[in-house]
Amino acid sequence: MPPSTTSAPAVRPASFRFRCIACGDLSDRAAQNFRCAHCGDLLEIVYPDWKEVSLDPARLKSIWGERRLSQSPIDLSGVWRFRELLPSLDNSDQVITLREGNTPLYELPQCARITGVPRLFAKHQGLNPTGSFKDAGMTVAATFARLAGFRWVACASTGNTSASMAAYAARGGMRSLVLVPEGKISWSKLSQALDYGAVTCQLRTDFDGCLRLLQELVLRAPVYQLNSINPFRLEGQKTLALELLEQLDWQPPDHIIVPGGNLGNSSAIGKALLEMRELGLIPRLPKLSVIQAEGANALVRTLREAGGKRLVNVQAETRATAIRIGNPASWKKAVHVLEATGGACEQVSEIEIAQAKAEIGAEGIGSEPASAVTLAGLKKLLKQGFVKPEESVVLVLTGNLLKDPDFTMEFHRGDLFKDGVDEKASAALRPLRHPPIILDATLDAVIRALEQAEKEQAEKEQAAKP
Ligand code: F0G
């Protein structure tokens, strides 16, 4: 292997502190449950001396660009490449990385036609090493867990966090403990945690119950919690926005649309946007909007029924199991970034999610159901006039198609909606279904299947004509 090279650290790293999002208390250390010692609210990481180290935006952009040519592990990470805006390390060997980040920004020409928004893009975080956006946060939080000397890390999860945590713990030589709701996460995600060596507990409760238990556990046992309550996670997840803006040559899109579950990711993206504007990296803020499943709509209700002042929690139910969360931990952070960027919050139905997922899939871009709420949400925001067709829109796809093959199979076989769907919805879904065909192994049978497919395609095209 060639010796690793890294571009010179041209900017002195900034120190960081923890700040309570409610009472503003500043501290150098965080308690094991990552809650404020005074008022019990969540903490965020701040960089009080950013002004002193004079982060010149043009210089930062050029350093980050230069690092793309480096072969050093820390530069090959699409997260640590932006390390001037992350908690600093003493040396680059401390990093636990699987070369996360570096995810593509795709154009979506077919979805653009469907929605009537020509400048429509997808930032596909499902192409991270363990198949979800969680890796961007996990590389940072797992690194700091090991630096703090922990042997055990733990999380409550709807599946993706546990897969990611287990992988990074394994890479970093730590043990991991996973708490997941029994029967409510996909086998794909569960199998990842098993393979990466996690102690995996399927608890007879929902995600919210798992998280409650974990918060108690970390006060009793020396385990480091890696849920997005942990502010290091959100610092890593910020880089999604940095990388996105770099891909857009630092020209902000009009809208970024993200799924909302426990609301860590929207908070992280919003924090990044606000910091980027403060540092002069971007001239204006995109509007950041959050979309939830109708059956797990705590943020929607919090904003509509309580003006964003208190959490309205719900008993969550949705087939988009990644976001089956009724009591989102980071709701206050999410309300703040929605207000600061002028974004919207909407909910979409199970049928709308399934349809959007198949429409994204028909572009050759697979995503898991939770990711597809973004396209379904965009359609609603367009109808409401909140998004205008001439504006540019980036959908954040958070997880890979392979994360939930059961959902996809049931959709294509027509079994997803057990109680059936109404005629209008059914007509919209039918052309998107491509069920597998079981045939005798004869040439004739395959040729007949081809001819049948041709005929159906011609009918679809005829039906689609205005
Ligand atoms: N999309 C996917 C694929 C997810 O796995 C999650 C959350 C979200 C969206 C929502 O992100 O919670 O930051 O608002 N999954 C967590 C987990 C809860 O345990 O894997 P959020």
Side-chain angles (χ1 to χ4, degrees):
M1 265 194 26
S4 31
T5 57
T6 180
S7 39
V11 177
R12 185 161 62 89
S15 59
F16 65 91
R17 303 191 78 189
F18 300 97
R19 183 171 66 193
C20 170
I21 62 164
C23 73
D25 182 60
L26 278 170
S27 54
D28 291 325
R29 296 178 67 81
Q32 208 137 313
N33 61 354
F34 290 106
R35 289 197 174 266
C36 173
H38 299 287
C39 73
D41 219 315
L42 295 187
L43 304 177
E44 62 179 349
I45 287 177
V46 291
Y47 305 87
D49 61 353
W50 263 359
K51 287 209 171 62
E52 279 160 46
V53 295
S54 66
L55 297 173
D56 171 43
R59 181 104 180 276
L60 285 175
K61 290 175 189 174
S62 121
I63 294 167
W64 295 336
E66 244 176 69
R67 286 186 186 142
R68 280 192 300 199
L69 303 173
S70 162
Q71 289 301 309
S72 152
I74 194 168
D75 291 339
L76 286 167
S77 162
V79 170
W80 292 100
R81 194 158 65 78
F82 298 102
R83 54 191 170 274
E84 280 73 14
L85 304 197
L86 298 178
S88 57
L89 298 166
D90 292 335
N91 74 66
S92 60
D93 296 343
Q94 293 167 328
V95 163
I96 305 172
T97 174
L98 288 161
R99 301 189 187 174
E100 50 291 319
N102 300 313
T103 59
L105 180 67
Y106 291 125
E107 288 180 335
L108 297 175
Q110 292 186 41
C111 294
R113 266 195 299 279
I114 292 168
T115 54
V117 178
R119 288 185 296 153
L120 178 60
F121 303 90
K123 176 75 175 151
H124 203 339
Q125 292 299 96
L127 299 183
N128 266 293
T130 75
S132 84
F133 71 98
K134 305 287 181 180
D135 296 343
M138 211 51 81
T139 180
V140 175
T143 294
F144 278 89
R146 191 169 65 175
L147 279 174
F150 280 89
R151 212 167 80 75
W152 280 91
V153 292
C155 73
S157 182
T158 56
N160 281 325
T161 301
S162 54
S164 181
M165 179 190 75
Y168 282 83
R171 292 297 286 184
M174 292 179 286
R175 296 298 317 277
S176 60
L177 171 73
V178 161
L179 307 180
V180 290
E182 205 262 327
K184 296 293 180 190
I185 82 165
S186 89
W187 290 123
S188 302
K189 299 174 187 179
L190 194 64
S191 63
Q192 286 181 287
L194 304 183
D195 229 34
Y196 304 142
V199 173
T200 304
C201 305
Q202 295 179 265
L203 305 185
R204 289 187 200 94
T205 178
D206 54 11
F207 168 84
D208 303 295
C210 292
L211 188 57
R212 244 188 332 267
L213 205 138
L214 179 72
Q215 290 263 293
E216 286 169 30
L217 177 75
V218 294
L219 296 175
R220 294 266 297 274
V223 298
Y224 185 89
Q225 80 141 309
L226 282 178
N227 275 96
S228 54
I229 287 174
N230 180 325
F232 289 107
R233 281 268 314 276
L234 300 200
E235 291 307 290
Q237 284 171 214
K238 279 187 338 194
T239 58
L240 180 165
L242 289 160
E243 191 178 81
L244 168 66
L245 266 297
E246 187 185 58
Q247 287 164 321
L248 293 171
D249 206 15
W250 302 101
Q251 297 305 310
D254 295 304
H255 296 273
I256 299 177
I257 302 183
V258 62
N262 212 21
L263 302 174
N265 206 30
S266 37
S267 303
I269 296 170
K271 185 172 192 277
L273 295 174
L274 295 168
E275 290 177 356
M276 274 191 270
R277 191 187 53 175
E278 185 193 323
L279 293 168
L281 286 158
I282 50 172
R284 62 183 173 81
L285 289 173
K287 292 190 172 84
L288 178 67
S289 294
V290 176
I291 312 296
Q292 299 196 296
E294 271 177 9
N297 59 353
L299 183 64
V300 176
R301 293 189 56 182
T302 292
L303 290 164
R304 288 184 191 168
E305 294 167 28
K309 299 283 183 270
R310 82 187 148 76
L311 176 66
V312 178
N313 52 18
V314 301
Q315 190 65 44
E317 194 47 83
T318 169
R319 280 298 303 263
T321 52
I323 50 173
R324 191 175 177 275
I325 295 171
N327 195 9
S330 293
W331 69 274
K332 274 190 198 165
K333 291 186 180 182
V335 169
H336 169 65
V337 298
L338 280 179
E339 284 172 356
T341 67
C345 182
E346 251 311 331
Q347 57 186 350
V348 291
S349 71
E350 296 294 298
I351 290 171
E352 288 166 335
I353 295 172
Q355 179 173 349
K357 181 177 138 20
E359 287 167 345
I360 298 168
E363 299 251 22
I365 295 173
S367 66
E368 66 167 288
S371 305
V373 301
T374 54
L375 177 62
L378 168 62
K379 293 178 193 170
K380 282 211 154 160
L381 297 179
L382 275 161
K383 263 201 201 119
Q384 294 162 3
F386 181 78
V387 176
K388 314 263 181 313
E390 65 277 13
E391 292 181 315
S392 56
V393 179
V394 176
L395 309 178
V396 178
L397 303 183
T398 44
N400 197 294
L401 169 83
L402 301 175
K403 287 285 194 172
D404 196 349
D406 285 350
F407 183 102
T408 309
M409 289 303 293
E410 285 178 40
F411 174 81
H412 287 287
R413 288 188 166 135
D415 305 335
L416 190 59
F417 301 104
K418 298 272 179 314
D419 304 329
V421 291
D422 67 40
E423 226 167 272
K424 198 162 148 243
S426 176
L429 297 183
R430 205 174 307 117
L432 292 162
R433 287 205 183 107
H434 307 286
I437 309 163
I438 298 167
L439 298 174
D440 288 334
T442 66
L443 195 54
D444 270 359
V446 177
I447 286 173
R448 268 201 304 280
L450 256 182
E451 286 167 353
Q452 179 64 20
E454 273 290 346
K455 198 169 135 229
E456 282 168 14
Q457 181 67 27
E459 282 166 11
K460 261 186 226 173
E461 282 166 19
Q462 189 60 34
K465 277 195 186 140

